[in-house]
Amino acid sequence: MSHGGGHAMAVFAGVTVVAAALSALLILSLKPLLQRYALARPNARSSHRIPTPQGGGIAVIAAALVCAAAGLGFSGLGDALPRFTILAIGAVGLAVIGAIDDIRPLPALLRLVFQAAAVAAVMASAGAGQLFPILPPAVEWIIIGFAGIWFVNLVNFMDGLDWMTVAEMTPLTAALALFSVAGWLDPVSGVIAAALLGGIIGFAPFNRPVARLFLGDVGSLPIGLIVGFLLYRLAGEGGFAAAVLLPLYYLTDATVTLLRRLARRERVWEAHRTHFYQQATDNGWPVLAVATRVAGLNVALALLAAASLAIDIPLFQAVVVIAGFGLVAATLRAFARPR
């Protein structure tokens, strides 16, 4: 497949549509089982009030991986299948850990060990090259590893409201697919992004407020791994500023919340409701309004990311990243105040 152009757009669109249909069909097939065996009951972290089935991520990840593999084969990118296989194994492994944790919570240390193994394997196979030439490679690998583990977990932490993951990941994965069409990201990553986009779109109607189905750890953990892999690839192709901008709302909300909880000496591994998006619902924001605000913010961040790729001038990229932080800060401030 050519790196960009109309053919790439057609392939990505086809992969997205098929993945969305497959995801929705799998959800319809699995929902009776999830209703019976995977009910999420309200706890200290929950935004829902009645038991609701979780595990929709099974359909999202299955559809994304199957359609990505098919898309790679159809597009003549079969030589990328070994790298994709490592990503798929890592994603399935985290999905299994997430599924077990959804039903019977696992010790935090055990979850962390499996996450570290998956992140290490996937990032080592990404072939992104060195991002920080001034650092020794070993130091950079440690940084990348911690960043990958944190990203996997923060996607999980932020999946605590109806349509939140949809509002975050739909613009982000769509932007990655379009960046591939434009030649700013490799076509293999574009196919994977398009497939994940479709899987999430297929899940979206079932998670629309008030949700009839949740993603569950079985979905949020592997989504974090796949998206982390794609962002690492983007950064490795010279799009470091764009790779920061695309997930900037998730990064900022989760990181600031973690630091505030650490400062208060709270047990950060325990369930809570102190993320800014959770504060927003406590402050009178309807759930749909929160999701809409986050989706709009992410579209704006995607546009800034595109600008940073189109104009390869370090000073301009720094200004664009600062502008992105400004938009995110405005949203966090709005969420933290009574409406």
Side-chain angles (χ1 to χ4, degrees):
M1 184 175 66
S2 61
H3 192 94
H7 178 61
M9 179 68 82
V11 170
F12 293 166
V15 168
T16 299
V17 169
V18 174
L22 180 57
S23 177
L25 288 173
L26 286 172
I27 287 173
L28 290 172
S29 300
L30 291 170
K31 197 174 179 187
L33 288 175
L34 299 177
Q35 181 75 44
R36 182 173 182 180
Y37 296 109
L39 279 181
R41 303 188 183 279
N43 59 30
R45 178 189 175 213
S46 302
S47 297
H48 64 291
R49 297 181 179 178
I50 61 173
T52 303
Q54 61 184 342
I58 297 173
V60 173
I61 298 304
L65 295 179
V66 167
C67 291
L72 292 175
F74 177 79
S75 304
L77 297 169
D79 58 343
L81 284 176
R83 177 188 298 166
F84 172 74
T85 299
I86 295 174
L87 175 63
I89 291 172
V92 170
L94 288 191
V96 170
I97 293 300
I100 295 171
D101 200 43
D102 283 335
I103 297 171
R104 179 172 294 180
L106 296 171
L109 181 58
L110 182 61
R111 296 198 307 266
L112 186 62
V113 169
F114 279 103
Q115 290 167 8
V119 166
V122 167
M123 296 311 176
S125 70
Q130 194 167 3
L131 301 184
F132 311 107
I134 63 172
L135 296 177
V139 175
E140 176 168 323
W141 274 115
I142 292 172
I143 294 172
I144 296 299
F146 276 110
I149 294 169
W150 175 229
F151 193 80
V152 166
N153 280 282
L154 73 84
V155 172
N156 183 315
F157 296 156
M158 296 295 289
D159 182 45
L161 197 68
D162 301 346
W163 255 9
M164 178 56 65
T165 299
V166 174
E168 175 69 22
M169 293 302 172
T170 300
L172 190 156
T173 51
L176 288 170
L178 291 173
F179 291 171
S180 182
V181 172
W184 295 326
L185 181 64
D186 65 279
V188 173
S189 296
V191 171
I192 296 170
L196 183 56
L197 170 63
I200 293 170
I201 290 174
F203 165 74
F206 303 93
N207 190 240
R208 183 182 185 278
V210 174
R212 293 171 289 152
L213 179 68
F214 296 150
L215 195 64
D217 289 4
V218 67
S220 60
L221 293 175
I223 286 174
L225 182 68
I226 294 170
V227 172
F229 167 85
L230 295 173
L231 293 172
Y232 187 34
R233 289 289 306 169
L234 179 62
E237 294 196 15
F240 186 85
V244 171
L245 280 163
L246 286 177
L248 192 56
Y249 168 67
Y250 261 29
L251 288 172
T252 307
D253 189 326
T255 303
V256 171
T257 299
L258 174 67
L259 294 175
R260 291 167 69 179
R261 295 191 71 208
L262 285 172
R264 293 193 294 263
R265 299 183 179 181
E266 297 179 10
R267 296 181 178 180
V268 295
W269 57 89
E270 293 183 350
H272 66 98
R273 280 188 47 82
T274 56
H275 284 287
F276 286 88
Y277 72 88
Q278 293 168 323
Q279 293 179 43
T281 59
D282 295 338
N283 286 331
W285 286 70
V287 172
L288 189 57
V290 175
T292 301
R293 176 70 179 257
V294 170
L297 170 63
N298 281 303
V299 170
L301 291 173
L303 292 174
L304 289 175
S308 76
L309 292 166
I311 303 176
D312 189 15
I313 300 174
L315 179 59
F316 175 79
Q317 293 174 340
V319 170
V320 169
V321 170
I322 292 171
F325 272 109
L327 293 176
V328 171
T331 296
L332 298 183
R333 185 167 56 249
F335 285 170
R337 295 177 176 177
R339 194 176 189 192

